[in-house]
Amino acid sequence: MAVNVSQRSFANMLGIVKRARVPASGIVERECVMPTYKAPLRDMRFLINEVFDYERHYKTLPNGEDASPDMVEAILGELARLCENTVAPLYQSGDEEGCKLEDGVVTTPKGYKEAYQEYVAGGWQGLSHPAEFGGQGLPMSLNLFKQEMLGTANWSFAMYPGLSLGAMNTIQLHGDDEQKQTYLTKLTEGTWAGTMCLTEPQCGTDLGQVKTKAEPQEDGSYKLTGTKIFISSGDHDLTENIVHIVLARLPDAPKGTKGISLFIVPKYLPGKIGEDNGVTCGSLEKKMGIKASATCVMNFDEATGFLIGPANQGLECMFTFMNSARIGTACQGIAHAELAYQGSLPYAKERRSMRALSGKKDPDAVADALIHHGDVRRMLLKQKAIAEGGRAMIYFAAQYADNMISGILEDDQDKYDRWDSELGFLTPILKGFLTEKGLEVANDAMQVFGGHGYIKEHGMEQIVRDARIATLYEGTTGIQGLDLLGRKVLLSSRGKCVRDFSRKLLDFGRKHLTDSDLRPYAWKLLKIAAEWNYLTTRIMLVAAKDRDMVSTASHDFLMYSGYAMMAYFWALQAKVARDKLENGGNEPKEFYEAKLATADFFFERMLPTAKGHADGALKPTKSTMQLAPEHFSFDYE
């Protein structure tokens, strides 16, 4: 692409062009780098130390003794250095090179293997897993902080160790002692990796259609035969072995989801590294984004596997993996919002175009910077609001995850069930809402750049491409909506989960309604809490007579729930920021002032969108369902 001198000078000014060379053709070529990732440690510390008081929280956990403030600070600092200096620089180059499949061998992009080795050498994979298997035994929340930072730096890279975590959690909860010793130790070390193998060519969400067969053998093992598709990290060259967690059917299994079992199927059997076990990568998917993540078609040809958990209860066991993956995917929403913001903000401060409507802001320059224009500020504040509001939602849920794991460590089934249920309500909201909003604000960031955002040089288009998958895998947004409204709200709790969480909004509203500074937030939270419960009750009543209501209302209900939940966490952050401005805090006053300004923007400019979702959710199903399937057409001749 040709570029004139003024364009090149402008790009160099932004730090976007690393080098320009003039070939024999005389056309200047540009070599560019992505926006520089900087770990948002200040905001992370604010949430950990000042909003959610993790120091006190960790003292209540059986595995929280070592998670002192100094330890947490050291972990965040070291991880930031790894992400900023090693992982982030591979983001664009990995996208351009992609993964390759040659002669049955999958190779990752240049630099990935070395970066993964550095990650493993730091002990990061076992951060929150038991010491008896080689881990550090720290609370699960620290692992979520790690996932967010690693994923923002380079989501494609983060997927390799991320998929392993789900396999580790599944084996830890449902594996027998021998399976834990054999597989969990290697997975915790990071010398082996893990995957989740659910989807098949004929079925995605509807796992009752799974056809992969598992034939029992005399030695207690099974021979698995079938094909799985869309398998993230299905094959690669980062580890010496890959442990697949596979859904399959036994010969006498009942039909549907009640006849699915779960199996451990290693690429190489333990003790036989390099010997064929009938597990091969048939092809790599050609994808829109996350191209440095190997998404594979995996073939199992009488591959030796081992039953994990009870026969025909594989789907229940797999939900351990799926919930872990869904919370991890929710991190992707805020990861892309954060990276997009870090890219578009410097551009908006440097790029000059026209004069601000309220008068010249940079009178000595030819034009004012983009950041002085109201619509550009709107897009920047949306990115900031979603990244920081979503981070608060994730960090709150992380405490629930810690409590749930405590139930396992203390062998307290009631405690585990309680917190698993609490987290189960949050999971579809986090996954569905945050990934949708992350994609939305990634598009806003590209819009800040105008035409420059559509080309590779500035890196915005890659963030959009990578963000798109987050709304699709681990259950589309539609599936999250059905899970939330149909299963969690209507079927399992008859609205109790909404009543329980909305009580937090009511309590905040009542407590601060007489506070002149917090009254605007308090009043709106009271109205949202009432509307959220009214919405739930109305849908419940209509759905009793018209079951289609659950499906037609689910997306709007999910998005409304996301806005309602984020509103609470922005009000909470505003309260803490106001307190710190008055009484002194750990961060500069500008940080707290920015929190208050962003909270104002969210409540004034973003929260009103929730009302539209509430109205849409309550509309009769007729407008959606009345058109007969045969009348859906693009050709009416």
Side-chain angles (χ1 to χ4, degrees):
M1 181 184 294
V3 60
N4 61 42
V5 175
S6 61
Q7 286 176 320
R8 190 172 72 245
S9 298
F10 167 67
N12 274 313
M13 176 180 65
L14 291 184
I16 293 167
V17 173
K18 183 191 295 184
R19 183 176 69 250
R21 63 185 180 86
V22 181
S25 65
I27 299 176
V28 175
E29 297 179 354
R30 292 176 289 180
E31 181 183 342
C32 308
V33 295
M34 292 293 294
T36 301
Y37 170 66
K38 183 70 176 175
L41 293 176
R42 180 163 286 162
D43 196 53
M44 296 173 75
R45 294 187 189 107
F46 170 68
L47 294 174
I48 292 169
N49 299 325
E50 299 181 332
V51 176
F52 297 122
D53 193 4
Y54 263 85
E55 181 179 5
R56 181 193 59 79
H57 166 70
Y58 284 147
K59 289 179 180 179
T60 69
L61 304 177
N63 60 339
E65 182 180 355
D66 293 332
S68 65
D70 288 344
M71 173 64 78
V72 172
E73 181 68 20
I75 288 172
L76 296 179
E78 286 301 316
L79 185 60
R81 280 187 280 275
L82 173 70
C83 292
E84 293 169 359
N85 301 329
T86 301
V87 179
L90 300 175
Y91 185 50
Q92 187 179 40
S93 63
D95 178 72
E96 292 176 346
E97 182 180 347
C99 295
K100 296 181 176 62
L101 173 62
E102 296 178 355
D103 299 325
V105 177
V106 175
T107 56
T108 52
K110 182 179 179 181
Y112 268 53
K113 195 166 187 176
E114 293 76 12
Y116 183 79
Q117 290 170 348
E118 184 177 343
Y119 170 86
V120 169
W124 295 111
Q125 189 65 354
L127 186 66
S128 296
H129 283 80
E132 62 184 297
F133 302 113
Q136 299 180 44
L138 292 167
M140 185 62 69
S141 52
L142 283 165
N143 190 66
L144 284 171
F145 304 157
K146 179 194 75 177
Q147 282 185 266
E148 183 219 330
M149 208 183 299
L150 199 67
T152 310
N154 187 334
W155 189 262
S156 289
F157 178 87
M159 288 188 70
Y160 292 102
L163 267 294
S164 296
L165 292 170
M168 293 159 68
N169 293 341
T170 303
I171 294 172
Q172 183 178 342
L173 279 179
H174 304 293
D176 58 35
D177 290 340
E178 182 179 355
Q179 290 170 340
K180 291 177 184 177
Q181 289 296 332
T182 301
Y183 297 100
L184 196 52
T185 301
K186 290 290 188 179
L187 287 165
T188 301
E189 290 175 355
T191 52
W192 290 5
T195 76
M196 173 172 60
C197 296
L198 287 75
T199 306
E200 298 184 4
Q202 77 284 352
C203 69
T205 301
D206 186 3
L207 294 171
Q209 299 183 47
V210 163
K211 293 181 178 180
T212 298
K213 298 178 180 179
E215 296 284 346
Q217 305 298 300
E218 291 184 359
D219 63 359
S221 66
Y222 296 81
K223 292 292 185 182
L224 277 78
T225 301
T227 296
K228 300 288 184 177
I229 64 172
F230 304 156
I231 307 306
S232 299
S233 309
D235 198 30
H236 52 78
D237 59 351
L238 302 182
T239 58
E240 66 179 24
N241 201 3
I242 301 173
V243 180
H244 302 285
I245 306 296
V246 185
L247 288 180
R249 291 187 180 281
L250 295 169
D252 58 350
K255 294 182 179 179
T257 57
K258 294 182 179 180
I260 300 175
S261 299
L262 193 62
F263 298 86
I264 298 173
V265 186
K267 179 179 180 179
Y268 304 122
L269 290 170
K272 298 182 179 180
I273 302 299
E275 295 184 21
D276 181 23
N277 185 36
V279 181
T280 57
C281 176
S283 65
L284 290 176
E285 305 290 1
K286 296 178 174 62
K287 301 174 297 183
M288 175 180 177
I290 57 169
K291 295 183 178 181
S293 171
T295 306
C296 305
V297 173
M298 297 301 300
N299 295 318
F300 298 88
D301 300 307
E302 294 192 344
T304 298
F306 307 92
L307 183 68
I308 178 172
N312 301 324
Q313 294 184 29
L315 200 57
E316 290 87 342
C317 295
M318 180 60 86
F319 268 110
T320 301
F321 200 142
M322 291 170 66
N323 284 328
S324 300
R326 285 173 178 173
I327 295 173
T329 307
C331 287
Q332 187 173 0
I334 59 174
H336 292 311
E338 177 68 38
L339 190 61
Y341 180 63
Q342 290 195 18
S344 60
L345 179 60
Y347 187 92
K349 288 182 175 180
E350 297 291 343
R351 174 70 163 178
R352 301 189 180 281
S353 181
M354 303 182 293
R355 291 295 184 187
L357 295 180
S358 56
K360 291 182 180 181
K361 306 300 180 184
D362 302 318
D364 296 332
V366 66
D368 291 329
L370 289 176
I371 199 168
H372 295 299
H373 299 298
D375 189 56
V376 173
R377 281 178 169 251
R378 174 188 64 84
M379 292 185 284
L380 291 171
L381 281 166
K382 275 180 63 181
Q383 295 166 57
K384 182 176 173 63
I386 294 301
E388 296 180 9
R391 183 174 295 117
M393 292 166 70
I394 292 287
Y395 285 24
F396 173 82
Q399 291 191 340
Y400 279 17
D402 284 341
N403 293 333
M404 184 183 72
I405 297 300
S406 292
I408 298 173
L409 297 175
E410 297 170 348
D411 196 23
D412 186 338
Q413 188 65 41
D414 289 340
K415 184 175 184 180
Y416 172 82
D417 289 342
R418 176 202 168 186
W419 290 107
D420 181 53
S421 177
E422 296 274 7
L423 190 60
F425 170 64
L426 299 181
T427 296
I429 300 174
L430 296 175
K431 198 282 182 183
F433 179 76
L434 292 182
T435 58
E436 287 287 349
K437 303 314 290 185
L439 174 62
E440 180 181 323
V441 298
N443 272 294
D444 284 337
M446 191 166 75
Q447 189 81 1
V448 170
F449 280 77
H452 288 284
Y454 195 66
I455 58 176
K456 284 183 174 292
E457 277 77 356
H458 299 272
M460 293 297 106
E461 58 85 33
Q462 183 184 343
I463 300 174
V464 173
R465 286 189 289 107
D466 287 353
R468 189 65 185 90
I469 186 58
T471 67
L472 303 175
Y473 58 13
E474 305 306 334
T476 63
T477 305
I479 292 300
Q480 304 303 323
L482 285 172
D483 179 42
L484 174 66
L485 180 58
R487 183 181 299 169
K488 306 295 174 54
V489 175
L490 301 184
L491 183 61
S492 297
S493 73
R494 302 294 295 171
K496 183 178 182 299
C497 53
V498 173
R499 293 193 296 274
D500 287 347
F501 193 91
S502 63
R503 194 171 294 117
K504 299 180 188 299
L505 283 69
L506 288 169
D507 290 345
F508 185 101
R510 290 165 180 159
K511 184 176 181 180
H512 300 292
L513 196 57
T514 58
D515 186 317
S516 59
D517 291 329
L518 298 176
R519 186 183 299 120
Y521 307 136
W523 178 242
K524 288 178 181 178
L525 288 185
L526 289 172
K527 292 197 293 184
I528 293 166
E531 186 174 53
W532 200 3
N533 282 281
Y534 172 76
L535 184 63
T536 303
T537 302
R538 278 288 307 276
I539 293 173
M540 191 182 305
L541 293 173
V542 175
K545 299 178 181 179
D546 183 357
R547 296 302 296 168
D548 281 331
M549 183 68 170
V550 179
S551 182
T552 60
S554 60
H555 175 83
D556 283 313
F557 185 84
L558 169 67
M559 298 306 289
Y560 183 92
S561 300
Y563 276 110
M565 193 173 288
M566 186 172 281
Y568 169 71
F569 287 110
W570 265 117
L572 190 60
Q573 290 185 82
K575 173 188 175 299
V576 175
R578 200 276 306 268
D579 289 345
K580 297 304 177 183
L581 280 172
E582 292 179 354
N583 303 309
N586 299 327
E587 309 301 338
K589 69 180 184 66
E590 291 81 7
F591 173 85
Y592 299 118
E593 290 170 348
K595 280 290 178 186
L596 291 172
T598 309
D600 285 345
F601 175 82
F602 176 83
F603 274 89
E604 293 292 333
R605 294 283 181 166
M606 296 181 67
L607 187 57
T609 305
K611 179 62 176 175
H613 286 296
D615 291 344
L618 293 177
K619 296 302 179 186
T621 63
K622 181 180 178 181
S623 61
T624 304
M625 305 304 295
Q626 66 181 335
L627 185 62
E630 60 269 23
H631 294 156
F632 275 88
S633 177
F634 53 82
D635 183 1
Y636 289 95
E637 293 183 1

